[in-house]
Amino acid sequence: MYNEKVVEHFRQPHNMGKMSEPSAVGRVGNMLCGDVMWFYIRVEPDAGGREIISDVSWETFGCTAAIATSSMMSDLAKGKTLDEAIAITNRDVADKLGGLPAVKMHCSALAADALNEAIHDYLTKQARPIPQALAVRHERIQKEMASLEERYKAFLSKDPKAQQGEAPACS
Amino acid sequence: MIPMPERVYLDHSATTPVARPVLDAMMPYFDARFGNASSLHEFGREARRAVDESRQSLASALGASPDEVVFTSGATEADNLAILGTALRRTQGGHLITSQIEHDAVLRSMEALRPMGFEVTIVGVDEFGRVNPEEVRAALRPDTFLVSIMAGNNEVGTLEPIGEIGRLCRERGVLFHTDAVQALGKVDLPMDSVDLLSASAHKMHGPKGVGLLYVRRGIRLAPLAHGGGHERGVRSGTENVSGIVGFAAALDLALRERAEVTSRMRRLRDRLIREVLKIPATRLNGHQVDSLPHVTNFSFAGIEGESLVMKLDEQGIATSTGSACSSPNLEPSHVLVALCVPLSMAHGSLRVSTGRGTSDAEIDRLLEALPRAVAELREMSPFKVGE
Ligand SMILES: Cc1ncc(COP(=O)(O)O)c(C=O)c1O
Ligand code: FES
């Protein structure tokens, strides 16, 4: 199901773990779908004075694809300027991994979202203007998380015993 | 280079290797005795004799008559035939009952009937995955014509009280079907209370692509495959002669070895449970005692089952998960949901299923690799266990 590149990143993930005193954190995902991704970034000026993501790390609760895309995304974002990092898409991550199964594309979307949120968090903390593209994505991500949250609550309140005559939660 | 250790296969609920004696019994029917069992000539008669003898052998193992056995392409088809075959003989709709933990072959067959005007009640299960016969009784209606409850669950192993459920259906003149794919050859089946029963060869060290539906004498089914009128008109199609021979050999072997194999399986299962539950934040899904001997299901908080299966695969150990969240609705396994497994645990499930050849040494390999795999994945997860 997964190609060797994906398996390699899964087996030996890069930049895995919590960061102490990060500049910002992006948290996406939900317990219902079993995908939760936290991205930590450190933002610092480089030798030329440009503001870059000098360090990235992540913690992920998810499938093989979720872990592999976390790893690949962290590689891609490291050393990039904020604008460059914002421009990284989930397609880029999936392509760099040599492709993902169609049903697993949403895991790569999660990595792009987590990085987006981390940068959003950084700019917000700095009280800096948010680029349009970033703001639009932030809104979409927050909306999706809220709707998942709704489904999560609905799901929890659904007493299986009371589901008689209804399709089970799975189908 | 470090030699790769022997691969360990602990996914026998998915499928099993064909046992040597089974393969030996099948081989002649691929070439030397390749005839079509419907042909008049000796090639055909030879194949017919093999089918007849296999049918006789499977029937007697089930405590049934040969005319009560319908061969199919597997249990999926047998489940479909039991459900759709009884429903489609009715002139107007009607009511069916099943449970939340059935195989998709049963659940989806029932779902397929809804748009045709049939009504379906899906009863729940307790925390161990057991159907309460009283709940089935309460769900019976005057127009209920079929109840389908599996004998043993393929994901968590729980055994269902099918004897009791079958008896109460009989009292009310309702047909009772059971999917006995995982149970046949491993536990006693109360055939007296069963009207229809599905089984599959590849779960018992037989070949893939052959199964059967036991149909109690007197029950008429609408065929799903129309054609040359094979299997008494219920299931047309040239008989899978080698497969049928293999199925009979597999069940025969399973019954001959049953005492020895299932007691070993139970011992391995007990050991597995004892050792795995030492890993923190772990639970057993299903019933500790009232279970199939070969299926054991655990959950590990904070990690995802698919990743765990991949980690173990790295060590050459094959297992499976009920929580591959590749399903578009993102919800965990319907079986684990039905058992009310806490959501924090439902995604981290691991199914270990043994076969006739599984050894202590193989369980040792799993027990050695598992705690490390769980620890590594928890290290990656934002949900730190115990924090
Ligand atoms: C309980 C149960 N029913 C039905 C099936 C389907 O059987 P088959 O693969 O023979 O179609 C399986 C196996 O996948 C099973 O475990
Ligand atoms: S983490 Fe659930 S599909 Fe990727």
Side-chain angles (χ1 to χ4, degrees):
Chain A
M1 157 163 198
Y2 295 113
N3 69 42
E4 272 173 34
K5 189 96 198 156
V6 174
V7 174
E8 193 184 300
H9 272 267
F10 171 74
R11 288 188 181 174
Q12 249 118 43
H14 308 170
N15 311 306
M16 186 262 290
K18 199 181 184 125
M19 188 185 289
S20 61
E21 295 176 34
S23 310
V25 188
R27 294 187 174 90
V28 298
N30 176 285
M31 281 302 286
L32 176 59
C33 63
D35 307 331
V36 180
M37 227 180 253
W38 294 4
F39 258 70
Y40 302 87
I41 56 173
R42 189 181 322 286
V43 183
E44 284 168 332
D46 69 1
R50 287 188 322 163
E51 195 176 37
I52 60 157
I53 298 179
S54 60
D55 198 8
V56 190
S57 76
W58 51 268
E59 290 176 298
T60 293
F61 165 72
C63 68
T64 308
I67 289 167
T69 54
S70 302
S71 170
M72 179 55 85
M73 179 55 110
S74 66
D75 279 353
L76 291 180
K78 213 179 218 177
K80 297 279 193 313
T81 66
L82 294 182
D83 286 340
E84 284 165 351
I86 292 168
I88 304 171
T89 67
N90 66 323
R91 269 267 152 231
D92 296 335
V93 180
D95 288 350
K96 276 274 179 203
L97 283 169
L100 284 172
V103 291
K104 295 290 179 177
M105 281 305 289
H106 74 273
C107 316
S108 65
L110 216 56
D113 286 354
L115 181 64
N116 193 89
E117 290 303 276
I119 297 170
H120 189 280
D121 180 45
Y122 175 72
L123 294 176
T124 307
K125 276 184 180 150
Q126 300 275 313
R128 300 235 304 259
I130 312 277
Q132 175 74 12
L134 194 68
V136 169
R137 276 168 72 183
H138 173 71
E139 209 159 290
R140 181 203 28 95
I141 293 163
Q142 291 300 321
K143 216 182 268 170
E144 277 174 14
M145 294 215 311
S147 99
L148 265 177
E149 200 59 36
E150 282 301 302
R151 280 180 58 194
Y152 180 56
K153 281 190 195 130
F155 181 80
L156 286 184
S157 67
K158 247 196 283 173
D159 174 10
K161 294 281 184 304
Q163 286 180 12
Q164 284 200 12
E166 255 184 61
C170 68
S171 64
Chain B
M1 214 175 110
I2 307 161
M4 185 71 185
E6 286 269 307
R7 291 190 299 168
V8 173
Y9 185 79
L10 294 171
D11 196 14
H12 291 82
S13 288
T15 196
T16 57
V18 174
R20 194 72 225 187
V22 173
L23 189 60
D24 290 343
M26 292 174 70
M27 286 311 280
Y29 295 93
F30 287 103
D31 50 8
R33 302 186 207 155
F34 64 91
N36 181 326
S38 301
S39 300
L40 281 178
H41 44 64
E42 177 55 21
F43 291 91
R45 288 196 301 273
E46 197 168 60
R48 172 60 57 202
R49 278 196 296 275
V51 170
D52 286 347
E53 279 164 22
S54 301
R55 193 189 305 276
Q56 174 71 52
S57 153
L58 284 159
S60 80
L62 286 169
S65 318
D67 61 332
E68 294 178 309
V69 170
V70 176
F71 288 118
T72 64
S73 63
T76 299
E77 187 189 342
D79 287 341
N80 273 260
L81 183 58
I83 294 162
L84 304 178
T86 49
L88 299 181
R89 276 192 62 85
R90 298 173 63 85
T91 44
Q92 69 228 28
H95 177 237
L96 308 92
I97 300 172
T98 190
S99 83
Q100 284 186 321
I101 55 148
E102 299 300 314
H103 192 268
D104 275 340
V106 166
L107 288 170
R108 302 216 174 200
S109 295
M110 294 225 181
E111 290 302 330
L113 286 170
R114 286 193 207 258
M116 295 181 225
F118 291 90
E119 290 180 71
V120 182
T121 298
I122 300 174
V123 297
V125 292
D126 68 11
E127 63 187 303
F128 304 111
R130 287 181 304 199
V131 173
N132 178 350
E134 288 314 310
E135 242 178 274
V136 175
R137 189 196 300 277
L140 286 170
R141 307 193 324 204
D143 63 339
T144 306
F145 63 93
L146 182 73
V147 172
S148 178
I149 305 289
M150 71 197 329
N153 183 266
N154 50 304
E155 244 179 76
V156 295
T158 305
L159 291 172
E160 300 299 336
I162 57 167
E164 218 177 319
I165 296 170
R167 276 192 297 280
L168 72 89
C169 290
R170 184 71 53 83
E171 276 165 28
R172 297 282 291 268
V174 173
L175 294 178
F176 178 62
H177 167 252
T178 191
D179 176 330
V181 167
Q182 301 288 345
L184 182 61
K186 301 209 173 63
V187 297
D188 285 325
L189 294 171
M191 290 304 289
D192 286 351
S193 319
V194 173
D195 297 310
L196 299 144
L197 176 144
S198 306
S200 184
H202 76 102
K203 311 285 186 176
M204 52 174 80
H205 300 277
K208 294 169 186 58
V210 58
L212 67 77
L213 182 65
Y214 158 78
V215 185
R216 179 175 293 284
R217 193 174 287 162
I219 298 171
R220 304 287 303 275
L221 299 175
L224 306 181
H226 303 270
H230 306 76
E231 300 297 300
R232 302 161 70 85
V234 178
R235 201 277 188 178
S236 287
T238 300
E239 292 86 349
N240 174 2
V241 180
S242 58
I244 289 168
V245 168
F247 194 178
L251 184 55
D252 181 57
L253 179 66
L255 293 178
R256 275 190 286 123
E257 296 181 334
R258 187 177 132 175
E260 181 207 331
V261 169
T262 59
S263 69
R264 180 166 62 239
M265 285 171 164
R266 289 205 181 277
R267 187 171 54 72
L268 294 176
R269 184 174 190 276
D270 289 345
R271 205 176 135 223
L272 201 55
I273 293 172
R274 206 168 48 241
E275 295 302 320
V276 172
L277 291 183
K278 290 181 184 162
I279 300 173
T282 301
R283 61 169 269 149
L284 174 73
N285 299 317
H287 199 281
Q288 176 135 17
V289 183
D290 247 349
S291 175
L292 291 165
H294 65 299
V295 181
T296 316
N297 190 306
F298 299 100
S299 275
F300 303 89
I303 61 178
E304 227 251 324
E306 194 219 77
S307 299
L308 186 53
V309 169
M310 283 291 287
K311 275 269 169 226
L312 293 172
D313 182 51
E314 249 174 68
Q315 306 295 317
I317 302 168
T319 56
S320 72
T321 176
S323 36
C325 69
S326 57
S327 65
N329 61 21
L330 303 177
E331 285 164 7
S333 145
H334 70 280
V335 174
L336 298 180
V337 169
L339 264 65
C340 284
V341 172
L343 219 46
S344 59
M345 288 261 186
H347 284 289
S349 89
L350 183 78
R351 179 182 71 179
V352 180
S353 48
T354 55
R356 66 191 283 268
T358 305
S359 65
D360 273 286
E362 289 178 312
I363 297 296
D364 288 342
R365 283 272 306 280
L366 175 70
L367 290 173
E368 198 189 304
L370 186 60
R372 199 175 41 212
V374 170
E376 280 175 25
L377 289 168
R378 282 182 174 165
E379 191 54 42
M380 288 185 204
S381 171
F383 306 112
K384 296 288 183 271
V385 170
E387 264 178 29

